Amino acid sequence: MSEQYRVAIAGATGAVGVEFLECLEKRDFPISELRLLASARSKGKTMPFRGRDVVVEELTEHSFDNIDVAFFSAGGSISKKFGPIAAKAGAVVVDNSSAFRMDPSVPLVIPEINPEAAAQHHGIIANPNCSTIIAIVPLWPIHKKNRIRRIIASTYQAASGAGAAAMEELRESTRAHLENRDFQNTVLPHPYAFNLFSHNSKIDPATGYNEEETKMSVETRKIFNDPDIRISATCVRVPVLRAHSEALTIECERPITPAEVRQILSTAPGVKLVDDPEKNYFPMPKDASGQGDVLVGRIRQDSSDPSGKSICMFVAGDQLLKGAALNAVQIAEAMVERGWLKSAVAK
Ligand code: A2P
């Protein structure tokens, strides 16, 4: 990786934005220039990067001039407005929002699964939904060996998925609860401390599924390039600060055993087995926080399926890292490694 790239981060001050900076620094992404972009509120703030302070600029239509790769995590409406502007200015956009994910002309990429899809981009590449990434990184190697026909997922999603303000609301409301003070929630729709609630996205009255649940279905089909896979998800927000957990039940085409699943996952990229029944030690968001791998455990035969084709498991993954910033940086790395980043930039 001898080439250097001019990089912009839209939403640099947000929960995911901060992680972009960390990932780029830790992974030694080849950067010749770094532009940090946020709202007017953050203009002039500084953020540390590689031993120096980088000044945050206000995001404008000219923010992407002379930029090679732009990471976006400032919300869907910002992506919709500024993503095409950045792409037109010649940057490759790696967008963390849901704005373009289901656009047939936009690749939806998890480097462990479909890195080659990134080559097909027209200026924008979408980073999948966090719950989708965390579920399907471990499911893909199983799917390749014994096609998965059906997935039932129940999520336990952290505050981080709703941004820095939601994380602060969880901290503040917990403090208030313990000190017996009143607290008015303003970021999330329900009291969060010592509570949980159905994911805070809109329900489709036609299906009864909320947007997060629908994303898990449609995005998995697109990434696996398998329109027939059947998925039903129940997405729940739990009072965990960071890292999502999920209970997954999969039904494969042919019988499969827990030992086979363990064998497959023991060498799978991006996956770490945490499966110790003796110590009752399994994936926890506390352990998943701050690390790039998806933790997988509680691997067992689904006793409700006598055919032997179904497996249950429990996973936990850092929503801000593999579920967002890390996956996006890995997409850019995959493009650099394959020589696609420079050639894709039409300048
Ligand atoms: P700011 O910190 O200046 O508000 P999170 O996902 O944690 O809520 O973070 C959202 C990110 O998107 C922040 O960096 C935030 O910047 C940025 N952002 C929000 N609204 C705008 C906007 N209108 N223009 C540019 N950046 C925005």
Side-chain angles (χ1 to χ4, degrees):
M1 296 214 280
S2 56
E3 303 233 40
Q4 302 271 311
Y5 300 89
R6 296 162 297 181
V7 173
I9 302 176
T13 51
V16 174
V18 172
E19 301 299 329
F20 274 133
L21 276 170
E22 280 243 8
C23 285
L24 292 167
E25 177 155 349
K26 270 197 190 142
R27 299 173 71 84
D28 216 12
F29 192 84
I31 296 178
S32 60
E33 184 191 330
L34 180 64
R35 209 171 285 169
L36 303 183
L37 307 164
S39 78
R41 292 180 293 272
S42 302
K43 190 179 167 182
K45 251 187 173 175
T46 60
M47 299 177 78
F49 185 73
R50 291 187 181 154
R52 64 189 179 93
D53 286 334
V54 182
V55 180
V56 177
E57 299 170 37
E58 181 181 355
L59 173 63
T60 71
E61 306 208 340
H62 296 293
S63 296
F64 304 98
D65 295 348
N66 303 313
I67 287 294
D68 299 312
V69 56
F71 297 102
F72 271 67
S73 193
S77 56
I78 297 288
S79 292
K80 268 193 194 132
K81 180 170 174 199
F82 290 97
I85 291 172
K88 200 158 171 231
V92 173
V93 172
V94 184
D95 180 37
N96 195 47
S97 81
S98 60
F100 306 107
R101 286 183 193 145
M102 295 314 294
D103 180 331
S105 70
V106 174
L108 185 62
V109 178
I110 300 177
E112 289 88 344
I113 301 178
N114 61 342
E116 69 292 338
Q120 310 302 322
H121 78 84
H122 301 282
I124 300 178
I125 298 170
N127 202 45
N129 165 270
C130 47
S131 300
T132 308
I133 296 177
I134 289 161
I136 73 176
V137 163
L139 295 188
W140 174 249
I142 302 170
H143 185 67
K144 277 197 297 184
K145 287 251 163 82
N146 187 346
R147 205 159 163 214
I148 296 172
R149 305 313 307 132
R150 184 172 178 227
I151 302 169
I152 296 173
S154 300
T155 72
Y156 307 73
Q157 296 184 224
S160 53
M167 293 171 83
E168 195 46 33
E169 184 158 291
L170 176 56
R171 285 192 197 93
E172 275 304 311
S173 60
T174 303
R175 252 179 236 123
H177 188 98
L178 292 172
E179 291 166 6
N180 218 6
R181 282 187 282 114
D182 282 344
F183 182 86
Q184 184 54 55
N185 48 294
T186 54
V187 181
L188 288 162
H190 304 291
Y192 203 1
F194 303 99
N195 191 25
L196 58 82
F197 45 87
S198 184
H199 189 274
N200 49 297
S201 55
K202 250 204 285 173
I203 303 265
D204 177 349
T207 63
Y209 285 88
N210 64 39
E211 284 171 351
E212 185 83 352
E213 293 160 353
T214 305
K215 283 174 193 172
M216 288 188 73
S217 297
V218 296
E219 292 183 18
T220 299
R221 292 191 198 108
K222 179 168 174 174
I223 298 161
F224 278 13
N225 193 20
D226 183 348
D228 298 326
I229 193 162
R230 287 170 285 134
I231 301 154
S232 177
T234 301
C235 291
V236 172
R237 189 75 74 188
V238 297
V240 166
L241 214 44
R242 175 176 181 151
H244 292 350
S245 305
E246 306 183 31
L248 304 172
T249 297
I250 57 167
E251 184 190 329
C252 294
E253 211 158 58
R254 290 172 281 108
I256 186 163
T257 65
E260 282 176 77
V261 171
R262 269 186 217 106
Q263 174 66 31
I264 293 168
L265 295 182
S266 64
T267 55
V271 172
K272 188 167 157 195
L273 281 172
V274 179
D275 201 17
D276 188 344
E278 253 172 54
K279 294 201 178 98
N280 205 349
Y281 208 107
F282 300 111
M284 288 187 272
K286 201 169 183 325
D287 289 344
S289 291
Q291 67 164 295
D293 287 337
V294 176
L295 311 183
V296 186
R298 300 240 45 221
I299 298 168
R300 61 207 191 277
Q301 203 86 47
D302 173 6
S303 61
S304 71
D305 178 4
S307 75
K309 296 177 182 171
S310 299
I311 292 285
C312 301
M313 66 184 83
F314 193 75
V315 305
D318 191 319
Q319 179 276 327
L320 295 174
L321 290 176
K322 189 58 191 168
L326 174 61
N327 195 70
V329 171
Q330 287 172 325
I331 291 172
E333 286 173 349
M335 295 188 71
V336 169
E337 275 159 26
R338 290 163 175 80
W340 294 340
L341 196 52
K342 213 59 184 178
S343 59
V345 180
K347 286 217 164 74

